[in-house]
Amino acid sequence: MALFGALVLALLAGAHAELPGCKIRITSKALDLVKQEGLRFLEQELETITIPDLRGREGHFFYNISDVKVTELQLTSSELHFQPEQELMLQINNASLGLRFQRQLLYCYDGGYINTSAEGMSIHTALQLSRDPTGRIKVSNVSCQASVSRMHAVFGGTFKKVYEFLSTFITSGMRFLLNQQTLTLAPTYQICSVLYHAGTVLLNSLLNTVPGELAPLRGWEDPVASTSNLDMDFRGAFFPLAEGNWSLPNQAVEPQLLEEERMVYVAFSEFFFDSAMESYFRAGALQLLLVGDKVPHDLDMLLRATYFGSIVLLSPAVIDSPLKLELRVIAPPRCTIKPSGTTISVTASVTIALVPPNQPEVQLSSMTMDARLSAKMALRGKALRTQLDLRRFRIYSNQSALESLALIPLQAPLKTMLQIGVMPMLNERTRRGVEIPLPEGINFVREVVTNHAGFLTIGADLHFAKGLREVIEKNQLTYTRDPQASSAPSPSTAAV
């Protein structure tokens, strides 16, 4: 999409000029793969063309042509490319279509089948792409021009000369029907009607499989095509479902997409991750409570040894009580993306207590933890996943400076215990990741993640794990009933 101007000018332009937090680019290299699978599907669709019976009279002869079926289709020369304004253009030249039909000649009755070929067939189709209310890309319009330059029929048998005399009228009628340009939703004998139905109904049923809560990583405008790419801008913001009107201001740099080596590129700014973490913070999801057996054994022993002086002063009924460790983030975490890597800064409260059965808990310590986590981003399947690692760690007491000094010897072993015992739990929670919206049956391969100043990019190629027809036939009924249907968002946060 066109780049926004400087931030001041963007603010003056209005609220809609907020910088995007996410961008997606589909390059022309993806079209080579799409063309292979798409032409195979298109051939199958064009083979469903049906031509109505032809009846007529020439002199004393009456003829009836019925049961016309497509026997062969050859799309010898085709091109699929992006085109400004039209979005996506498909051109097929010099194709041929084989037909077989039942003949009846009534002057001197004779019946049988005749093979006919439509040659020099050209198809020029443009797909106009837009976004539906849920944010998914859809085919909003199809323009089509199709023509058959000539038809040829092969006859044999006793009445060969008669058939050759009538063939001009028969093939001219068939060619007229095939060349009709009227577009209708129902697939009929017209080539353009078949293509219109394939785009607005069948292809849209495939695009409808993009997860509805993720496709609105919602953008403000329709996709923009250049001669080599299709670009889409998304706001890239998360929000708690309980606070649908809340919005985190985007003060991050705008992500840039300059590469074209892979089929697909996705760029995320720091705002994308900051809004996600702030949403989870506001939803109360950034906390971890470990009690009793849930506390890793080595960490339990370390903490009991550290607070041994306080524990031995307690009553015998409390000394052996289960240990409680509670970590609660007290401010929204912030993400920093640099070419050298991605870090997340977190400030959390740490509460250590004993919880005797049927008695009030006994607090041993309350401290604040400042941590810096390294975040390694990777694309697994369709999900962007994060592997966290604790790098920097500092704790200090909320109660006194003297206790803060006493905690200094605890920092190194506690960091080790958190790295071994707690970080795996956090990584298990982040394992699901954020799904990149792709239609069903299409996967990413050859992924590469690159860090830049203030944003990161992910490049990948595409792979069809399922055929187009398999996915479309599975989802066509659902789309026909409700073309606006979308998946329900996750219970705690949603992306826009």
Side-chain angles (χ1 to χ4, degrees):
M1 289 225 177
L3 299 179
F4 293 104
L7 180 58
V8 175
L9 295 178
L11 292 174
L12 292 175
H16 221 37
E18 181 181 357
L19 293 176
C22 172
K23 292 186 175 185
I24 295 180
R25 165 172 288 179
I26 301 174
T27 70
S28 57
K29 291 188 176 182
L31 297 185
D32 295 334
L33 176 69
V34 172
K35 187 178 77 170
Q36 296 175 16
E37 187 68 25
L39 287 179
R40 184 159 46 246
F41 174 78
L42 185 58
E43 287 178 356
Q44 296 170 345
E45 286 300 301
L46 290 175
E47 287 174 356
T48 65
I49 291 176
T50 58
I51 299 179
D53 295 352
L54 296 177
R55 296 179 178 86
R57 174 177 177 176
E58 184 61 31
H60 297 290
F61 294 95
F62 293 86
Y63 60 88
N64 180 20
I65 302 301
S66 61
D67 195 23
V68 182
K69 296 184 181 301
V70 176
T71 59
E72 183 182 6
L73 178 64
Q74 292 184 352
L75 305 179
T76 54
S77 176
S78 61
E79 181 181 357
L80 182 64
H81 63 270
F82 295 117
Q83 178 171 305
E85 303 300 331
Q86 294 290 354
E87 313 292 10
L88 193 59
M89 177 70 72
L90 172 64
Q91 294 179 323
I92 298 174
N93 296 308
N94 200 30
S96 61
L97 188 71
L99 301 172
R100 179 178 173 84
F101 57 85
Q102 173 74 39
R103 70 175 188 267
Q104 287 183 332
L105 183 64
L106 301 183
Y107 179 82
C108 181
Y109 180 80
D110 178 63
Y113 282 93
I114 297 177
N115 294 322
T116 306
S117 63
E119 300 172 350
M121 185 169 68
S122 298
I123 302 173
H124 296 253
T125 302
L127 304 181
Q128 188 77 28
L129 304 179
S130 63
R131 283 196 177 99
D132 66 15
T134 69
R136 295 186 182 96
I137 294 177
K138 69 172 184 178
V139 178
S140 58
N141 191 30
V142 176
S143 60
C144 174
Q145 292 182 340
S147 64
V148 175
S149 61
R150 57 190 179 276
M151 293 195 70
H152 178 67
V154 178
F155 301 94
T158 306
F159 301 99
K160 176 180 179 180
K161 295 296 182 182
V162 175
Y163 296 145
E164 290 177 347
F165 172 74
L166 295 175
S167 67
T168 301
F169 303 98
I170 296 172
T171 56
S172 295
M174 288 185 179
R175 181 168 166 262
F176 172 78
L177 292 175
L178 288 172
N179 282 342
Q180 291 297 299
Q181 305 298 314
T182 306
L183 300 180
T184 62
L185 277 176
T188 64
Y189 49 84
Q190 301 160 359
I191 295 173
C192 284
S193 290
V194 173
L195 294 175
Y196 187 78
H197 179 266
T200 58
V201 176
L202 302 183
L203 184 55
N204 275 339
S205 70
L206 172 69
L207 296 175
N208 199 54
T209 63
V210 173
E213 74 275 19
L214 297 170
L217 293 171
R218 289 178 189 148
W220 312 290
E221 303 172 3
D222 291 337
V224 172
S226 66
T227 56
S228 58
N229 303 307
L230 182 72
D231 290 332
M232 295 163 281
D233 284 3
F234 300 85
R235 183 160 183 261
F238 291 77
F239 61 89
L241 293 180
E243 304 178 53
N245 294 326
W246 171 82
S247 177
L248 178 69
N250 184 355
Q251 299 177 345
V253 301
E254 181 180 4
Q256 304 292 327
L257 287 174
L258 303 176
E259 300 91 343
E260 296 183 358
E261 294 180 359
R262 296 288 201 272
M263 297 181 182
V264 177
Y265 286 92
V266 186
F268 298 103
S269 74
E270 293 172 347
F271 170 76
F272 178 86
F273 301 101
D274 285 347
S275 69
M277 291 185 291
E278 175 127 5
S279 296
Y280 281 107
F281 172 76
R282 297 172 75 95
L286 300 183
Q287 53 185 307
L288 180 65
L289 178 62
L290 304 175
V291 180
D293 294 340
K294 297 297 183 181
V295 180
H297 179 67
D298 291 340
L299 182 58
D300 184 289
M301 293 180 61
L302 174 64
L303 294 175
R304 288 182 185 274
T306 301
Y307 296 100
F308 178 76
S310 299
I311 294 176
V312 296
L313 298 178
L314 301 175
S315 65
V318 176
I319 291 177
D320 294 328
S321 299
L323 190 72
K324 183 185 85 169
L325 174 64
E326 182 180 14
L327 288 81
R328 183 186 299 271
V329 175
I330 59 178
R334 286 294 177 257
C335 173
T336 302
I337 303 176
K338 298 180 179 180
S340 57
T342 302
T343 59
I344 298 174
S345 299
V346 182
T347 300
S349 65
V350 181
T351 301
I352 302 170
L354 294 175
V355 285
N358 304 320
Q359 295 184 43
E361 67 178 45
V362 179
Q363 181 173 298
L364 299 177
S365 179
S366 176
M367 50 188 153
T368 299
M369 176 184 72
D370 288 335
R372 181 168 295 179
L373 310 176
S374 68
K376 184 178 180 181
M377 308 293 180
L379 195 60
R380 295 291 181 266
K382 297 182 182 181
L384 175 64
R385 295 180 179 177
T386 304
Q387 179 74 24
L388 300 175
D389 188 27
L390 182 59
R391 291 300 184 187
R392 294 185 181 180
F393 176 81
R394 183 174 72 93
I395 55 175
Y396 53 91
S397 174
N398 295 330
Q399 299 172 355
S400 69
L402 184 61
E403 185 177 359
S404 295
L405 291 174
L407 290 174
I408 293 177
L410 179 62
Q411 293 199 52
L414 184 56
K415 176 184 177 181
T416 301
M417 291 298 102
L418 291 175
Q419 186 76 280
I420 296 174
V422 176
M423 293 307 298
M425 299 181 189
L426 296 180
N427 284 320
E428 184 64 30
R429 291 190 177 187
T430 62
R431 184 181 299 275
R432 178 183 176 186
V434 176
E435 187 172 355
I436 308 299
L438 272 183
E440 181 181 342
I442 302 177
N443 295 328
F444 290 116
V445 294
R446 297 181 65 235
E447 309 91 343
V448 58
V449 179
T450 306
N451 277 42
H452 304 271
F455 66 95
L456 61 84
T457 60
I458 301 171
D461 288 336
L462 300 176
H463 169 70
F464 279 94
K466 299 179 181 178
L468 282 180
R469 178 160 298 280
E470 178 184 355
V471 178
I472 287 174
E473 289 181 349
K474 174 185 174 184
N475 294 280
Q476 183 181 356
L477 181 59
T478 301
Y479 176 78
T480 304
R481 288 177 174 176
D482 184 7
Q484 304 299 339
S486 61
S487 304
S490 59
S492 58
T493 63
V496 296

